[in-house]
Amino acid sequence: MDITNSVALVTGANRGLGRAFAQRLLERGARKVYATARRPETVDLPGVEVLALDITSPASVRAVAAAAPDVTLLVNNAGIQTGTDLVAGSLDALRHEVDTNVLGHLEMIRAFAPALGRKGGGAIVNVLSAMSWFGTRGAGAYHLTKAAAWAMTNGVRLELADQGTLVTAVHLGLADTDMSAGWPVDKIAPSDLADAALDGVEAGAAEVLADQWSRDVKSRLTLTPEEFNAAMDRALAALTAA
């Protein structure tokens, strides 16, 4: 897929990775960029078309799909991190993460897939995480939702293959955004993450490992659970000590 002259829609485009996606799409020649957010007044990027969107509301998703029927590239970026553990944490918080990080993305795909198919296939980008593959205390819910979103992405890719829709999973460690502000470690710049993802789309890639952290984590998946957990403990200790 050629980014030039594409019509893109980015969720969570008011800040962080979403804003970077919208900006780089414009800079790379997209014909139109729909920038969506729950609070559309917080979108401050010139040149985009702003739409209100709550991905946890089916009615809101349907309204956006009706307002943007020309989309050829869907970037599912919006997400949350509540800091919830699985056993002792709030089930309401866990459900909110599932509704946003998994079902919200799927709701968007279901709403836009028919139009993408009619226009020759187009592409979908799901912004995931290296935490698709590992968890930590205080982030069990996030790990669960990103693992589920990875599985959902793989399933959707199979189901949309016949209509020619590219489905690209983008994994990263930490990006330099508000969500990771408390981690004094090396982080990928949002614009670099957006470029890596869009380069992957143009190359027809099913998966983009955007930084060394995500590449290292995935390389350990062949280990036994005990070996994997020990390796991740060492990696996390080294990361926080750096």
Side-chain angles (χ1 to χ4, degrees):
M1 181 178 182
D2 187 0
I3 299 301
T4 303
N5 292 321
S6 64
V7 176
L9 185 145
V10 183
T11 66
N14 57 321
R15 61 178 183 164
L17 294 180
R19 190 182 190 280
F21 265 106
Q23 182 171 2
R24 291 301 293 136
L25 281 160
L26 290 173
E27 291 169 351
R28 291 174 65 142
R31 178 162 53 88
K32 184 189 298 185
V33 177
Y34 293 103
T36 73
R38 283 179 297 173
R39 295 173 53 210
E41 71 276 9
T42 62
V43 178
D44 64 354
L45 185 63
V48 299
E49 295 198 20
V50 181
L51 295 173
L53 172 64
D54 178 355
I55 63 171
T56 67
S57 165
S60 180
V61 171
R62 289 193 298 269
V64 164
D70 51 347
V71 166
T72 60
L73 170 60
L74 170 63
V75 179
N76 272 321
N77 162 77
I80 59 171
Q81 220 284 38
T82 65
T84 301
D85 283 324
L86 294 175
V87 177
S90 163
L91 278 177
D92 286 340
L94 173 58
R95 290 188 182 99
H96 186 35
E97 284 205 45
V98 171
D99 284 345
T100 304
N101 296 350
V102 185
L103 298 180
H105 287 196
L106 181 58
E107 194 86 44
M108 290 293 292
I109 292 169
R110 289 165 66 99
F112 280 89
L116 291 175
R118 289 192 294 271
K119 288 186 283 290
I124 297 167
V125 171
N126 282 350
V127 179
L128 304 177
S129 170
M131 288 192 71
S132 302
W133 306 309
F134 78 97
T136 63
R137 291 292 300 273
Y142 190 73
H143 169 43
L144 183 153
T145 62
K146 289 302 182 179
W150 181 42
M152 179 270 287
T153 301
N154 292 336
V156 164
R157 184 182 301 114
L158 294 174
E159 293 183 21
L160 297 184
D162 288 345
Q163 71 173 40
T165 299
L166 172 68
V167 180
T168 301
V170 178
H171 297 272
L172 68 150
L174 288 174
D176 192 9
T177 65
D178 292 345
M179 185 181 288
S180 66
W183 286 77
V185 298
D186 288 339
K187 306 165 190 174
I188 188 171
S191 59
D192 290 343
L193 181 281
D195 275 331
L198 297 177
D199 288 346
V201 169
E202 290 195 318
E207 182 174 77
V208 172
L209 304 179
D211 56 12
Q212 190 59 46
W213 181 256
S214 59
R215 291 189 285 272
D216 287 346
V217 175
K218 192 173 185 190
S219 73
R220 300 182 182 117
L221 293 180
T222 57
L223 300 176
T224 67
E226 294 82 3
E227 292 169 337
F228 180 86
N229 290 336
M232 289 307 305
D233 285 345
R234 291 192 295 271
L236 289 167
L239 181 68
T240 54

